[in-house]
Amino acid sequence: MKFKTFAAFVGPSIFLMLLFIAAPLASVFVQSFQSTQPVLERVEVETCTPGFPTQTCTTEVKTRPLLDASGKIQTTTEWVGLESYANVLQLDRVGQALADGAPGRILTIDFWKALRFTLTLTLVTLPLVIGLGLALALAVNNATKRLRGQIIFVSLLPFIITPVIGALSIRWLFIGDGIMTAALEGWLDRDISMFAQGWTIELLMNFYRVWHVAPFAFVILYAGLQTVNQDTLESAIIDGASRFERLRYVIVPHLMPLIVFIALIHLMDCYRAFEEVVGFSSQAHRITLQWLTFDLLTPDDSGNRSISRASASAMLTMIGIVILLVPLLRRTWRDHRGA
Amino acid sequence: MATPKALRQPLSLQIGSAGFLAIWCLLAAFPIIWIGVMSFKSPVDAFAANPFDVVFGPETLARGNGLSLIDIVVGLVVLWITAKSAMGWLPRMVARYSPGGLIAVGWIIGALAFGIAFVLVFFGLLPILLDALNAITGPLGQPILGLTTEHYQTVWVENAFYRNFINSMIVTAGVVAISLTVGTLAGYGLARSGSSLAFWILIIALVFRALPHSVLVAGYLPVFINSAEILSPILGDNAPTLYGQPLAVIAVLVSINQPFTIWMLRSFFQNIPAELDEAARVDGCTHFQAFRWVIMPVMWPGVITTGLFSFLLAYNDFLVTSLLLDAQNQTMVPAIAGYFNRETTTTDQVEAVAAAVSITAPLFLLVMVFQRQIVSGLTAGAVKG
């Protein structure tokens, strides 16, 4: 294929990706070093109240935003260097907490709180997702042929459902005195409210993640199971391998590339976790990195969006993604050079 | 063929694996089915502590909304007939009456007509018929199961959820159409070119796929809000404010989706033998003609699968649409956040449940119809890559 034809085919897609992915990335990078603020002016205002024999007048200095000709608030943009990053990271408070010997206090700062939760969520759910996916794939492979279609249909539901609604549907089971809370209370014989403290919400959020992603792992591993070499399996049986040994030494090694693939996709997606926080309304207790940026971008009570802090937080999130991607990219590069 | 004895599994293992599957199916479907049940009950029943109260809805029944045994039986029979004819009769009719080459149009018209007919019969004709039937059958006609559609009426009619539905449809249809058009071209180009450049484009796309969407939105927001000023030197006074425009959101979602789309379509194109387009080229086709008239006709399964995933991305999106669209143009998923923000009464909550079920129902149908394509799409990227 000539370069010109190739360019004609790929062009529109590249153009879109450059315009809407690469360009925003660059602009976020620049924004994170800038700060846009309304221009304030200080004016002396004299307010008079009627009095006797003369009016009482007070003069005070007020700051108010300067308006331009069309009545909009004027803004200036200036370079602030790493100030936005410092605002997000709050390293002085981190240092203070370390100096006081109370590292737990670091987790009261939004960014570190979000980082802690995102990382635990990712690392706790990863083995669970792969384990459950593998167990499901093996069990479905074991089930009668007629039932497989139905089981796959039901299994796909948690994966396909809108994430926010998936989280909500689990939350509604537990909310207030919902049936699950009532059942737990009856079982444990104590008063439970799942949404009053952080760790119970975290438990539910972990559960939701596994529930939502396990079907994906299941479908891929199930497809992989269909290609297991039957001859190897049979020779393993002849060699006297037990069921577990066959799983351990024949099936799992065969599925290993798929497991690595699932792990990578899961790491990427879980690091971007966001919908849980919205669905479980957990922002008072647990937040994720992407939610932090989202929150900074949402207009606050006075209608301002803290774009520069959001950009800084977004760039910090990016660093994590880059760290996650480096091993993958190195492997692809090696494969490409080898090929 | 009987299984050899050595491969036969002990009973305990069989029971264990069957039990495990049963528990998983329950776990997977329960929350979704349960919100479906909740959405038809009065608030007191929907959030009752006793599961049987939620299912049978005594409070809903006491308020005069209920179904009798006859209602349930007749309703189920009608549903069953509908499902049967949707599987058997409808495809035959579509195949017979749609003109050659326009089978897709035939399907759209057929499905629409079928859906409208079902709604008319089920919600229009059936209640009148059943009311009469209940009145004359005595004890069988007594309502026993509490059920009410008032929350759906509130959500769709009073709260004008249909506007959000229309917005969702505009955004998803736009995203699917554009991202498939752009994506198939790029996917074909990438699959047929062995150059280093193609490799690097794919790698960069992989990096882009991993980006959190909030990072990108942080880049769009200031530009979109001020776009009228930024674009005015070029477009004059007609420069639009992109913030709040569905078209801008479509462009954004298409681009965010592009890396995934081209990876997936490329792997489908690679499955089509290159000899096919070589043959077409020998016969005098240009690259584009070969793509359009030889490759695309055998590519439909891959396109449908990728389209499904584009649909899911656009339909399920919360982050981009909630930040880039204003209240008038809001799509369904962010709109539901409005319900649980003003979560003051339990009635509001049940309305939120009804809205959630309304959003989930199309997805449910989608999995039913396209299960095979979804599975093949999931495995396409993984097994080969």
Side-chain angles (χ1 to χ4, degrees), chain A residues 16-51:
Chain A
L16 277 179
M17 286 199 279
L18 284 181
L19 185 63
F20 286 105
I21 302 181
L25 258 188
S27 102
V28 170
F29 184 69
V30 173
Q31 274 170 34
S32 68
F33 299 108
Q34 287 179 336
S35 161
T36 304
Q37 259 156 0
V39 185
L40 299 175
E41 58 171 352
R42 293 166 71 83
V43 277
E44 274 187 17
V45 186
E46 194 180 23
T47 34
C48 295
T49 40

Side-chain angles (χ1 to χ4, degrees), chain B residues 92-332:
Chain B
R92 274 204 307 278
M93 284 294 144
V94 168
R96 185 181 306 164
Y97 288 108
S98 49
L102 286 174
I103 193 106
V105 181
W107 264 110
I108 293 172
I109 295 171
L112 268 181
F114 192 80
I116 292 170
F118 170 74
V119 168
L120 281 182
V121 170
F122 198 79
F123 296 103
L125 196 62
L126 215 56
I128 303 171
L129 214 86
L130 285 170
D131 274 348
L133 211 61
N134 281 335
I136 51 169
T137 41
L140 278 181
Q142 287 298 318
I144 51 161
L145 185 76
L147 189 130
T148 167
T149 50
E150 59 180 310
H151 309 301
Y152 286 96
Q153 283 166 15
T154 322
V155 167
W156 283 88
V157 180
E158 279 174 37
N159 299 349
F161 204 59
Y162 61 89
R163 277 201 217 129
N164 304 113
F165 178 77
I166 294 171
N167 288 328
S168 268
M169 285 303 116
I170 293 174
V171 170
T172 34
V175 170
V176 171
I178 300 177
S179 83
L180 284 183
T181 317
V182 178
T184 39
L185 286 171
Y188 177 73
L190 290 168
R192 290 294 183 260
S193 155
S195 67
S196 224
L197 183 66
F199 169 79
W200 283 112
I201 291 174
L202 283 168
I203 289 298
I204 291 172
L206 189 70
V207 176
F208 283 167
R209 188 209 170 275
L211 291 180
H213 299 168
S214 62
V215 175
L216 300 174
V217 177
Y220 304 135
L221 256 181
V223 182
F224 276 24
I225 292 174
N226 300 320
S227 67
E229 287 164 34
I230 297 171
L231 292 175
S232 59
I234 313 166
L235 296 174
D237 288 339
N238 297 329
T241 299
L242 291 173
Y243 174 77
Q245 296 289 330
L247 276 177
V249 170
I250 291 176
V252 166
L253 284 174
V254 165
S255 319
I256 287 182
N257 204 12
Q258 217 28 232
F260 174 77
T261 315
I262 59 177
W263 266 91
M264 190 176 233
L265 283 168
R266 172 182 163 270
S267 81
F268 276 112
F269 275 120
Q270 276 185 330
N271 283 353
I272 297 174
E275 285 79 17
L276 209 59
D277 31 343
E278 274 161 28
R281 300 265 291 145
V282 170
D283 286 349
C285 282
T286 64
H287 261 298
F288 185 77
Q289 282 169 331
F291 166 76
R292 176 66 191 87
W293 301 111
V294 180
I295 302 300
M296 279 317 282
V298 288
M299 187 51 192
W300 282 114
V303 172
I304 290 174
T305 307
T306 318
L308 276 174
F309 281 85
S310 299
F311 175 88
L312 284 179
L313 175 117
Y315 189 83
N316 287 344
D317 179 83
F318 178 89
L319 204 155
V320 175
T321 41
S322 77
L323 281 174
L324 292 185
L325 286 177
D326 46 20
Q328 294 96 36
N329 289 324
Q330 204 54 276
T331 53
M332 287 199 283

Side-chain angles (χ1 to χ4, degrees), chain A residues 246-306:
Chain A
R246 266 177 276 156
L247 178 67
R248 171 78 186 75
Y249 294 107
V250 181
I251 296 177
V252 169
H254 174 78
L255 295 179
M256 213 52 203
L258 295 183
I259 294 180
V260 172
F261 169 80
I262 295 169
L264 278 171
I265 295 283
H266 181 69
L267 286 178
M268 271 187 223
D269 286 352
C270 201
Y271 189 76
R272 303 192 290 194
F274 165 73
E275 274 95 351
E276 286 95 325
V277 183
V278 178
F280 284 106
S281 299
S282 68
Q283 51 270 43
H285 301 283
R286 294 289 184 270
I287 57 174
T288 63
L289 283 172
Q290 179 149 232
W291 192 87
L292 185 67
T293 313
F294 172 83
D295 189 40
L296 291 171
L297 285 174
T298 327
D300 62 12
D301 293 338
S302 49
N304 294 319
R305 302 168 196 258
S306 24

Side-chain angles (χ1 to χ4, degrees), chain A residues 13 20-21 24 28 31 72 136 142 149 152-153 155 160 162 173 177 211 223 237 243 272 290 318 321 336, chain B residues 7-9 13 24 27 34 49 182 199 209-211 213-215 218-220 222 229 255 258 316 367 371 379:
Chain A
S13 174
F20 286 105
I21 302 181
V28 170
Q31 274 170 34
K72 278 190 191 160
L136 278 174
N142 211 2
I152 293 177
F153 169 70
S155 304
I160 229 84
T162 312
L173 293 181
D177 267 330
W211 181 77
I237 296 171
R243 213 167 281 282
R272 303 192 290 194
Q290 179 149 232
M318 281 279 300
I321 284 288
H336 178 64
Chain B
L7 286 177
R8 219 169 279 165
Q9 297 175 332
L13 188 68
W24 161 252
L27 213 61
W34 199 252
V182 178
F199 169 79
R209 188 209 170 275
L211 291 180
H213 299 168
S214 62
V215 175
Y220 304 135
E229 287 164 34
S255 319
Q258 217 28 232
N316 287 344
V367 190
Q371 180 182 341
T379 48

Side-chain angles (χ1 to χ4, degrees), chain A residues 79-197:
Chain A
W79 293 91
V80 289
L82 292 171
E83 199 183 289
S84 307
Y85 288 92
N87 275 337
V88 173
L89 288 173
Q90 306 214 349
L91 285 176
D92 48 337
R93 276 176 68 190
V94 173
Q96 186 68 38
L98 286 178
D100 292 353
R105 282 226 310 268
I106 297 174
L107 297 182
T108 56
I109 303 165
D110 279 346
F111 176 79
W112 299 103
K113 192 162 86 176
L115 182 69
R116 201 281 303 163
F117 176 65
T118 311
L119 289 182
T120 0
L121 182 73
T122 312
L123 296 178
V124 169
T125 52
L126 178 64
L128 291 175
V129 163
I130 290 176
L132 183 62
L134 184 62
L136 278 174
L138 289 169
V140 170
N141 207 26
N142 211 2
T144 35
K145 279 233 163 63
R146 269 186 310 154
L147 280 177
R148 286 184 196 175
Q150 275 87 329
I151 295 174
I152 293 177
F153 169 70
V154 174
S155 304
L156 279 176
L157 289 178
F159 174 70
I160 229 84
I161 193 175
T162 312
V164 175
I165 290 176
L168 275 173
S169 70
I170 291 176
R171 177 178 171 211
W172 279 323
L173 293 181
F174 287 94
I175 205 163
D177 267 330
I179 54 157
M180 292 309 284
T181 314
L184 276 179
E185 278 174 348
W187 182 42
L188 297 174
D189 199 23
R190 53 188 290 191
D191 207 26
I192 293 173
S193 77
M194 290 301 270
F195 297 97
Q197 59 277 330

